[in-house]
């Protein structure tokens, strides 16, 4: 391999999400050899993934090929592969389909996946939203539910097909619930002959006493009002105790209730990716309850000054504060910090600890409606929505061809259309697995929000 | 079901391709109850499917939700289901997930699928291009091949990853070969560090003595010249005798040759969908060699004046002529004819036989290059390409949101980009099935072209 023969420090980055990609981008022209390893050949703009799930835009609209983004970084190579193990003593990474790779500095940014509070079998019935494939599966379930309702003659089963439950009132849950309400009440208007899609029930369940818990309380109230106007029923202080193919069981103030619903979506909790555990085993790094790696003020793993964890996989706190949320702005700033640290190491300059500058948080509820917390000002409604649109376009156009998203949005805005609502792929076989009658012995778990505040 | 209680004639259409959808569209406001049944919830603009396969555009860009297209047809309902059987005596259709449906007039337009000349096991190694899923699988294989080559250290295996074989020199084969050449020589330029993508070999194999056999010979020559310029090696009079995961075996003028190639694509032959056989069994209809249903001058099945077959599934000839090709313009004109026939039946007017007006044929080779046969004039090169672009946009905008395709094309044209080149989905398990060593006992089959001349 060409790059291994040079004498420049070898920086290896695992993961091409916001954290990893921003590190690589900021290392352009730095006197290092960069290797970026990812399982996928593209960077995913996750904040808009719910729009793929709801048939608004296409997967490619929010995916940027990693090689394309880094094409002009002559010091950088991309490897499409999976990391199986790391040896911090010989400084080597073990890959699935590639010879071992040596590093001088290693940056791990492999993110998080869904967490079902120990009930992993719920995943079959209540998919979460992290990957393109997740989004297409959710899209398939949403639109298939209306098709099934159209064919169903039993009114009770029909209503179950027209009931959508979203578990988790964080930004993703709020965005999904708002979008499904718009689908039922506006996009599909006039498309069916046997059912009235405006009779669709959309339930948003949240364990805490308000949705969007990381936001100021007044914005939670505004968000709930907007959702209600769209036709979403918000139920707070609601703990999910069981999920099956046909229903959700919840506990509300000591009352246990079954909700018959054929479409259940999960937006309620994350756990660290496998690399967290690998690092804990190999380096003795401490993990938090969600499996995220506790990092030092410079984002390194304790005792391993050349090994860093950034992005959602890292648990980083400003002194005495609670950990930073797993959101894109934190990941981007950590990526840029990493690049700065690496350059200063080479010139042997000191570097101060990482410090996150919070420029605010946004969550969209529906067309013309969002909530925005900029710290010095809190906004909701149309103006907040404009800020949301602007912020997302700003980040999207940083990469390649995202002009198309703007055109699609503009078109959808004026036509209320959802042209990307095609149902593709096969139903995952597990969807049709017969569910054994299961005694509900699991103790109730809090339906917590994703620790996520969107860009 | 609401519609069944009315007294209007019940017209049932099976299949939402060009033939079926154009029938339904032309029946708007006709005094009939229309039911359109399809397995998928969208109409696919198949002439551009190769652009999804090559990462140029997204599936949704060429898919129109059937319900959306027919939303304002108050006499029409869409059912998402699969037809299993038909009883022409009781005039009933048996569906997979719906109660039986009665009809007064039945129109079957379920199209065709790939044909491997009796070697169905080749399908695993050489996928064809008919569905969105096919296109995404081909896209996955094309881009994974470059990724695998980048990691491969054995030069022979690396070259096999950089060898693409397209079987069949009809329009689909020509379009795929041209697009893959552009990917290798232009889109991916500068993206890899270990391989030189311009060393990619693209072979287009055709059994006849020239590519695009249904076109005038001078256009075949022009097309071959353009492909050669793009870096495609065209081999005519070449019969494929075997396909495995690693190679294609061909016979060229009595010489047998193995071509080591990891990516083999099939664009060489079609067979009728299952409904052809069902109709043959239930009505005694005759089928041609490809399984297509022989139809009467009014597109009905002999002895069943209320049962029609149209589109690719029909074998229709003008008196004494060869059968019409399975292309979109034929299907659209047959759909429009069907609607006219149905309306005239109701008013008891006579109708003349179906007659296809050939307005010309087009095939695209690459950016700025196509061949066009308008009968009175034959064109190639840039002007032909402009006509090709214009014709496709004209048909696309008939439906819904296809503005986006134009923007994407414009963007790609000026940037040479392929933003939709994300690799998604899992490798189909069959891809990795171990292939038993197989003696090549099958007799050589002609690598015939698809009987397809594009819009």
């Amino acid at each position: 391999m060409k790059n291994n023969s040079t004498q420049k420090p070898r920086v290896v980055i695992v993961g091409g999400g916001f954290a990893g990609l921003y590190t690589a981008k900021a290392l352009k022209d730095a006197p290092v050899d960069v290797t970026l390893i990812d399982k996928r050949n593209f960077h995913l703009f996750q904040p808009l993934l719910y729009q793929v799930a709801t048939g608004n835009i296409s997967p490619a609209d929010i995916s940027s090929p990693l090689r394309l983004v880094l094409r002009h970084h002559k010091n950088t190579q991309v490897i499409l592969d999976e990391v199986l193990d790391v040896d911090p003593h010989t400084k080597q990474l073990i890959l699935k389909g590639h010879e071992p790779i040596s590093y001088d500095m290693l940056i791990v940014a492999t993110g998080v996946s869904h967490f079902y509070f120990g009930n992993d079998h719920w995943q079959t019935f209540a998919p979460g939203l992290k990957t393109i494939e997740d989004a297409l599966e959710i899209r398939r379930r949403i639109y298939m539910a209306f098709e099934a309702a159209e064919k169903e003659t039993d009114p009770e089963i029909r209503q179950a097909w027209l009931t959508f439950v979203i578990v988790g009132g964080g930004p993703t849950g709020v965005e999904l619930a708002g979008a499904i309400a718009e689908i039922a009440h506006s996009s599909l208007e006039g498309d069916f002959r046997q059912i009235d899609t405006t009779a669709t029930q959309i339930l948003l369940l949240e364990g805490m006493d308000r949705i969007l818990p990381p936001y100021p309380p007044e914005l939670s109230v505004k968000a709930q009002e907007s959702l209600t106007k769209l036709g979403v029923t918000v139920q707070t202080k609601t703990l999910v105790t069981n999920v099956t193919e046909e229903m959700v069981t919840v506990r509300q103030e000591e009352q246990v209730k079954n909700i018959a619903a054929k479409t259940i979506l999960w937006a309620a909790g994350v756990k660290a990716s496998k690399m967290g555990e690998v690092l804990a085993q190999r380096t003795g790094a401490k993990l938090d309850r969600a499996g995220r790696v506790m990092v030092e003020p410079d984002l390194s793993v304790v005792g391993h000054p050349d090994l860093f964890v950034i992005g959602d996989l890292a648990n980083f706190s400003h002194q005495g504060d609670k950990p930073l949320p797993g959101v894109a702005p934190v990941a981007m700033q950590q990526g840029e910090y990493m690049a700065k640290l690496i350059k200063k190491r080479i010139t042997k300059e000191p570097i101060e600890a990482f410090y996150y500058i919070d420029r605010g948080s946004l969550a969209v509820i529906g067309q013309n409606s969002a909530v925005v917390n900029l710290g010095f000002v809190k906004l909701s409604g149309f103006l907040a929505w404009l800020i949301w649109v602007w912020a997302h376009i700003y980040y999207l156009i940083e990469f390649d061809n995202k002009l198309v998203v703007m055109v699609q949005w503009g078109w959808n805005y004026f036509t209320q259309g959802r042209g990307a609502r095609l149902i593709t792929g096969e139903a995952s076989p597990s969807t049709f697995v017969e569910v054994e009658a299961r005694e509900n012995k699991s103790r109730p778990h809090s339906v917590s929000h994703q620790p996520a505040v969107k860009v």
Side-chain angles (χ1 to χ4, degrees), chain A:
Chain A
M1 301 273 145
K2 291 180 211 162
N3 291 338
N4 292 359
S5 59
T6 64
Q7 297 304 313
K8 287 186 273 179
R10 290 159 303 180
V11 175
V12 176
I13 304 163
V14 186
F18 284 107
L21 186 55
Y22 273 71
T23 307
K25 275 169 68 89
L27 285 173
K28 189 180 183 182
D29 305 324
V32 289
D33 276 332
V34 179
T35 301
L36 176 64
I37 305 169
D38 199 299
K39 286 192 288 188
R40 312 304 300 257
N41 75 331
F42 55 89
H43 167 76
L44 181 63
F45 191 80
Q46 223 148 10
L48 287 179
L49 194 55
Y50 83 96
Q51 294 212 354
V52 175
T54 53
N56 229 10
I57 54 178
S58 289
D61 298 338
I62 56 164
S63 307
S64 305
L66 289 171
R67 294 192 186 282
L68 188 63
V69 175
L70 298 170
R71 144 183 293 194
H72 299 298
H73 293 229
K74 294 303 173 203
N75 63 344
T76 305
Q77 69 168 337
V78 176
I79 295 176
L80 187 70
D81 217 317
E82 194 175 339
V83 173
L84 300 179
D85 205 351
V86 54
D87 182 341
H89 305 294
T90 61
K91 293 196 165 185
Q92 279 207 323
L93 281 177
I94 312 301
L95 274 63
K96 200 172 181 180
H98 194 280
E99 58 200 28
I101 289 183
S102 299
Y103 63 83
D104 295 309
M105 278 178 271
L106 175 64
I107 295 139
V108 179
T110 50
V112 292
S113 61
H114 321 297
F115 185 50
Y116 289 85
F117 306 112
N119 300 283
D120 284 352
H121 57 281
W122 293 357
Q123 179 154 21
T124 312
F125 315 119
L129 183 62
K130 279 284 168 201
T131 66
I132 290 284
E133 287 76 11
D134 289 343
L136 295 178
E137 171 64 14
I138 288 177
R139 184 197 282 180
R140 201 185 62 72
R141 290 191 188 205
I142 292 172
Y143 289 101
M144 278 304 280
F146 291 105
E147 296 291 342
E150 174 83 351
K151 292 196 281 187
E152 184 58 56
T153 47
D154 180 321
E156 258 182 53
I157 302 175
R158 178 180 282 190
Q159 192 52 51
W161 280 119
L162 290 178
T163 302
F164 296 79
V165 175
I166 297 101
V167 183
T172 300
V174 166
E175 286 159 359
L176 276 173
I180 294 172
E182 289 183 337
I183 290 170
H185 290 277
S186 142
S187 305
L188 296 185
E189 211 191 336
D191 280 13
F192 291 86
R193 299 290 176 262
Q194 315 298 337
I195 58 170
D196 174 10
T197 60
T198 62
T200 302
Q201 237 205 320
I202 299 123
L203 295 172
L204 179 63
L205 310 183
E206 166 60 45
M208 313 273 252
D209 62 350
R210 60 187 175 96
I211 57 171
L212 298 177
Y215 286 64
E218 57 264 49
L219 288 185
S220 296
V221 172
K222 291 277 186 197
Q224 180 159 348
E225 283 172 7
S226 303
L227 284 171
T228 307
K229 226 181 277 171
L230 280 174
V232 176
T233 307
V234 177
Q235 304 195 341
T236 53
K237 294 188 199 162
T238 299
L239 308 176
V240 169
T241 59
N242 198 25
V243 180
T244 74
E245 199 175 358
E246 317 255 285
M247 66 173 63
V248 186
T249 308
V250 297
R251 206 186 55 180
Q252 292 171 323
E253 321 251 353
E254 301 312 314
Q255 286 231 312
V256 172
K257 209 170 74 174
N258 287 326
I259 303 166
K262 293 275 198 178
T263 312
I264 304 156
L265 306 179
W266 194 260
V270 294
K271 69 161 181 235
S273 52
K274 264 189 323 205
M275 278 303 284
E277 233 167 280
V278 170
L279 289 176
Q281 279 178 18
R282 298 295 180 228
T283 68
K286 285 218 178 81
L287 305 180
D288 69 9
R289 259 178 14 134
R292 290 176 300 184
V293 181
M294 312 295 294
V295 294
E296 297 289 288
D298 68 351
L299 307 175
S300 67
V301 172
V302 63
H304 295 266
D306 295 328
L307 201 169
F308 304 85
V309 180
I310 61 175
D312 286 5
L313 183 62
N315 179 319
F316 174 92
S317 318
H318 297 133
Q319 200 151 25
D321 215 347
K322 58 182 183 185
L324 294 181
V327 298
V330 172
M332 292 188 245
Q333 289 183 28
Q334 290 184 337
E336 279 157 5
Y337 173 85
M338 274 316 310
K340 212 186 294 174
L341 179 145
I342 289 165
K343 290 178 199 165
K344 292 208 170 178
R345 283 254 178 114
I346 290 168
T347 55
K348 298 196 168 27
E349 290 171 81
I351 183 165
E352 65 284 16
F354 171 71
Y355 191 84
Y356 173 58
I357 300 161
D358 187 355
R359 297 205 177 83
S361 47
L362 313 168
V364 73
I365 291 143
Q367 199 131 291
N368 301 337
S369 180
V371 291
V372 172
N373 177 20
L374 300 177
F376 62 96
V377 61
K378 297 166 190 54
L379 297 168
S380 60
F382 184 68
L383 184 59
W385 182 78
L386 279 184
I387 293 174
W388 178 88
V389 168
W390 176 85
H392 282 75
I393 287 176
Y394 176 85
Y395 283 107
L396 270 174
I397 55 174
E398 259 209 86
F399 295 122
D400 53 333
N401 61 347
K402 302 321 178 215
L403 183 66
V404 169
V405 179
M406 276 179 272
V407 175
Q408 184 74 61
W409 278 0
W411 184 265
N412 291 348
Y413 184 82
F414 291 109
T415 62
Q416 305 279 319
R418 282 175 196 268
R421 65 166 114 136
L422 57 159
I423 301 168
T424 55
E426 296 295 317
S428 58
S430 52
T431 312
F432 299 115
V433 160
E434 285 226 310
V435 189
E436 293 171 65
R438 221 181 334 251
E439 277 291 304
N440 173 17
K441 288 172 192 156
S442 55
R443 65 179 179 80
H445 295 281
S446 162
V447 180
S448 159
H449 58 91
Q450 281 195 336
V453 182
K454 293 293 173 96
V455 178

